[in-house]
Amino acid sequence: MTVCWSFAFALSIIAINVAFTDSERIPSTLDGPFDPVTVPYDVSLRGNAVDLPDTDPRVRRSVRGFEPEQISVSLSVNYDSVWISWVTGEFQIGNNIKPLDPNTVASLVRYGRSRFPLTREAIGYSLVYNQLYPFEGLQNYTSGIIHHVRLTGLKPSTLYYYRCGDPSIPAMSDIYHFRTMPVSSPRSYPKRIAVVGDLGLTYNTTDTISHLTTNNPDLVLLIGDVTYANLYLTNGTGSDCYDCSFPYTPIHETYQPRWDYWGRFMQSLISKTPIMVVEGNHEIEEQAGNQKFAAYSSRFAFPSKESESSSTFYYSFNAGGIHFIMLGAYIAYTKSAEQYSWLVRDLANVDRSVTPWLVAAWHPPWYSSYKAHYKEAECMRVAMEELLYSYGVDIVYNGHVHAYERSNRVYNYTLDPCGPVHITIGDGGNREKMAIEHADDPGNCPEPSSTYDVAIGGFCATNFTSGPAAGKFCWDRQPDYSAFRESSFGHGILEVKNETWALWTWYRNQDSNTKVGDQIYIVRQPDMCPVPHKLPKSWFADS
């Protein structure tokens, strides 16, 4: 029955496409591999690539006392559970800060399928994090109280209302709502999943979020580099290039209030649309005691425990018939690392008869033809690509490079009909400059020494050993694996139609909401590219 239904849907897609002229027809990966295309850079696009100031009403604190703000929703592993997160109390920044006591404010959510009354109640936990610098003249930071509450026992594809806070103060939020994910099934998918990377909080960011919101997504994936708070000194002075402007600071400072500004700005979207985040390099934010990722790990709720991960840096979850794997590129990922062992177990436990689609995401791309960050994640590719390929990952999303690029199906730098489509979407609108130079342009090939991988402390990038670029570190033309690339700000929308067809659309900020920048049907071919069946837990329990 499933096969017949899928085949009928595929025929309907083909029939729809045939009705259009060749110029209007949406291509599919079945038509590929495609000849590489580069859209020329539009020099007028740099525009207002500066951060929103702290005087902008969209980032100012609008609540009183311990009323909730920066409210967000994130998913657990399945439709029957979500996380609600928020902040109460004011942050402090200066030389004499005194952290708030998380135990003084309750973490409570009232929720239900009707706005009145909210018949169910859940209690969670709260925390405060600090960003500390043991140097004279640098200001320390302590956050407001961050709350995370998990709601359970939810029904699929159902609208729920909620309010959060502490009713005993009283300090409760207004009533918000969210819709749960569909049940995991080959016939059941979220309608639209928005994908964005390297977002920041600039005037370009506001355009991106405005366009994204117009597309009415059911889920948002943020592929690293959230606020760019580390482009600031602790006194609030910012720069487009921290290392260029502040080369003599004793430590790489950050201005943590930018996280609070970002949470306030994003609340209107992510208080009703779940957001799932994976860390980028701008979330490292090293501080006293070599502590890193404090803001990232504290401010978001992750389904780590639910997906049997011991870390906020990698986890997995289901959204209908899609299994998402979020991986960490800035912690150990080699075959001896805990993350790799977790990935083996997670992949082995995926049942493709329930979740046919397998989508992976991490911050730095493996397949990018831009000069910026070229082959920077080569060590991670060498460690993990074979494993992901063997389990038939369909799509890979990355950010980091501030441009858009879509690959042909590729594995080990070779065009492969069973390889995943890699999509770099680091074009959310951050303050740093847009990537416009390609590694294959004359004089642009980076030095191999620039590919040092901090996560494992080594080099992995080498010259190509075969094909048109044999013996070279860079191609001398746009690589065959690169199907389409363009330097513009924007976002993408993934619409999975059934167990074999999904529509991917990329939208540019400078266009109208309906104009498409890049669009393709990504088609799975499980008959040609078989994947392992779900294995019993006894197979991997001791791995």
Side-chain angles (χ1 to χ4, degrees):
M1 176 64 98
T2 300
V3 173
C4 294
W5 183 86
S6 175
F7 181 69
F9 184 86
L11 289 178
S12 69
I13 292 293
I14 295 170
I16 291 172
N17 285 335
V18 168
F20 292 102
T21 65
D22 288 342
S23 62
E24 295 173 321
R25 177 181 176 273
I26 301 173
S28 81
T29 52
L30 299 178
D31 303 319
F34 301 95
D35 292 335
V37 171
T38 298
V39 176
Y41 174 60
D42 183 347
V43 296
S44 68
L45 295 182
R46 282 298 293 143
N48 296 316
V50 294
D51 279 319
L52 270 65
D54 57 12
T55 55
D56 191 293
R58 291 170 289 186
V59 305
R60 293 181 65 85
R61 192 169 190 262
S62 60
V63 300
R64 295 174 297 178
F66 287 95
E67 292 176 352
E69 64 161 353
Q70 305 179 48
I71 302 168
S72 65
V73 183
S74 55
L75 301 180
S76 185
V77 290
N78 288 310
Y79 68 83
D80 57 356
S81 177
V82 305
W83 287 91
I84 307 295
S85 303
W86 69 95
V87 178
T88 57
E90 298 189 55
F91 68 78
Q92 302 166 56
I93 186 166
N95 298 318
N96 298 299
I97 59 173
K98 183 179 180 180
L100 297 172
D101 181 358
N103 296 319
T104 59
V105 183
S107 306
L108 182 144
V109 176
R110 289 175 175 160
Y111 63 105
R113 296 170 64 181
S114 299
R115 182 181 291 268
F116 300 107
L118 298 173
T119 56
R120 303 178 65 180
E121 189 171 285
I123 296 174
Y125 67 94
S126 59
L127 59 94
V128 166
Y129 80 90
N130 304 312
Q131 190 80 15
L132 304 176
Y133 303 103
F135 299 98
E136 184 178 352
L138 303 191
Q139 299 186 74
N140 294 319
Y141 171 93
T142 184
S143 71
I145 301 172
I146 301 169
H147 305 260
H148 300 298
V149 177
R150 186 181 174 200
L151 313 187
T152 59
L154 308 178
K155 296 185 178 298
S157 302
T158 300
L159 187 69
Y160 282 88
Y161 297 92
Y162 73 95
R163 62 188 312 200
C164 56
D166 185 344
S168 69
I169 296 181
M172 293 292 286
S173 72
D174 293 335
I175 296 177
Y176 296 89
H177 65 270
F178 64 87
R179 186 173 295 276
T180 53
M181 291 293 104
V183 66
S184 291
S185 154
R187 298 191 182 185
S188 181
Y189 301 93
K191 290 182 179 179
R192 283 175 291 276
I193 299 171
V195 187
V196 67
D198 300 70
L199 198 55
L201 189 55
T202 71
Y203 291 101
N204 285 321
T205 307
T206 65
D207 290 341
T208 300
I209 296 302
S210 176
H211 280 68
L212 184 154
T213 302
T214 301
N215 274 317
N216 193 28
D218 301 289
L219 173 64
V220 177
L221 300 184
L222 177 48
I223 316 298
D225 284 1
V226 181
T227 70
Y228 288 80
N230 71 340
L231 289 184
Y232 283 81
L233 300 178
T234 62
N235 64 10
T237 301
S239 171
D240 290 343
C241 173
Y242 186 101
D243 293 330
C244 301
S245 301
F246 311 121
Y248 303 114
T249 55
I251 191 172
H252 193 124
E253 304 167 44
T254 76
Y255 188 62
Q256 289 295 297
R258 299 288 317 173
W259 280 95
D260 296 282
Y261 303 160
W262 190 89
R264 293 165 188 163
F265 173 79
M266 292 291 289
Q267 178 177 299
S268 61
L269 171 64
I270 62 178
S271 60
K272 62 182 179 182
T273 305
I275 184 170
M276 304 302 286
V277 184
V278 71
E279 76 279 4
N281 56 298
H282 283 272
E283 279 73 73
I284 295 174
E285 297 185 326
E286 186 175 354
Q287 57 171 301
N290 198 35
Q291 185 178 357
K292 303 175 182 178
F293 297 103
Y296 164 83
S297 295
S298 300
R299 290 180 178 271
F300 298 106
F302 305 93
S304 300
K305 184 177 180 180
E306 301 100 279
S307 61
E308 301 183 4
S309 165
S310 61
S311 171
T312 60
F313 305 128
Y314 54 90
Y315 60 91
S316 65
F317 64 96
N318 294 329
I322 313 168
H323 185 72
F324 285 95
I325 296 175
M326 313 292 269
L327 297 176
Y330 300 100
I331 60 169
Y333 46 68
T334 59
K335 292 183 179 180
S336 61
E338 184 179 349
Q339 178 176 202
Y340 190 93
S341 297
W342 170 85
L343 179 59
V344 170
R345 295 192 299 270
D346 191 81
L347 287 169
N349 207 28
V350 175
D351 188 342
R352 300 299 278 270
S353 68
V354 177
T355 53
W357 287 86
L358 187 53
V359 177
W362 58 89
H363 187 57
W366 294 348
Y367 290 95
S368 169
S369 60
Y370 284 85
K371 179 180 179 181
H373 308 301
Y374 181 72
K375 288 192 176 184
E376 189 177 283
E378 186 71 359
C379 290
M380 186 183 183
R381 186 193 70 80
V382 170
M384 288 185 160
E385 186 177 27
E386 182 180 8
L387 178 61
L388 294 178
Y389 175 80
S390 69
Y391 276 91
V393 169
D394 300 299
I395 308 172
V396 171
Y397 287 114
N398 305 114
H400 201 42
V401 177
H402 300 161
Y404 172 75
E405 186 167 17
R406 170 175 54 83
S407 80
N408 285 304
R409 290 193 176 276
V410 61
Y411 169 63
N412 195 25
Y413 289 108
T414 303
L415 299 183
D416 188 319
C418 297
V421 174
H422 290 253
I423 295 173
T424 298
I425 191 158
D427 57 349
N430 66 84
R431 181 167 179 163
E432 291 183 316
K433 64 183 180 180
M434 187 181 292
I436 60 175
E437 296 180 327
H438 306 115
D440 48 272
D441 292 335
N444 275 354
C445 185
E447 285 292 323
S449 60
S450 67
T451 65
Y452 181 79
D453 195 308
V454 178
I456 66 166
F459 293 92
C460 296
T462 59
N463 289 350
F464 293 99
T465 57
S466 61
K472 301 176 183 177
F473 192 64
C474 302
W475 290 57
D476 55 10
R477 58 178 172 82
Q478 185 173 355
D480 291 344
Y481 61 77
S482 175
F484 182 95
R485 63 187 183 187
E486 180 175 353
S487 299
S488 295
F489 292 123
H491 76 281
I493 296 290
L494 177 66
E495 301 172 77
V496 178
K497 304 298 183 179
N498 63 17
E499 67 259 45
T500 54
W501 285 70
L503 180 63
W504 168 253
T505 308
W506 175 63
Y507 295 93
R508 293 179 291 239
N509 282 2
Q510 67 267 29
D511 296 333
S512 67
N513 292 337
T514 57
K515 186 177 178 181
V516 169
D518 180 43
Q519 192 170 55
I520 189 170
Y521 280 110
I522 298 174
V523 184
R524 298 182 61 248
Q525 297 179 273
D527 292 339
M528 186 177 76
C529 307
V531 298
H533 294 290
K534 179 178 181 293
L535 299 174
K537 287 189 175 182
S538 59
W539 183 83
F540 55 89
D542 298 325
S543 65

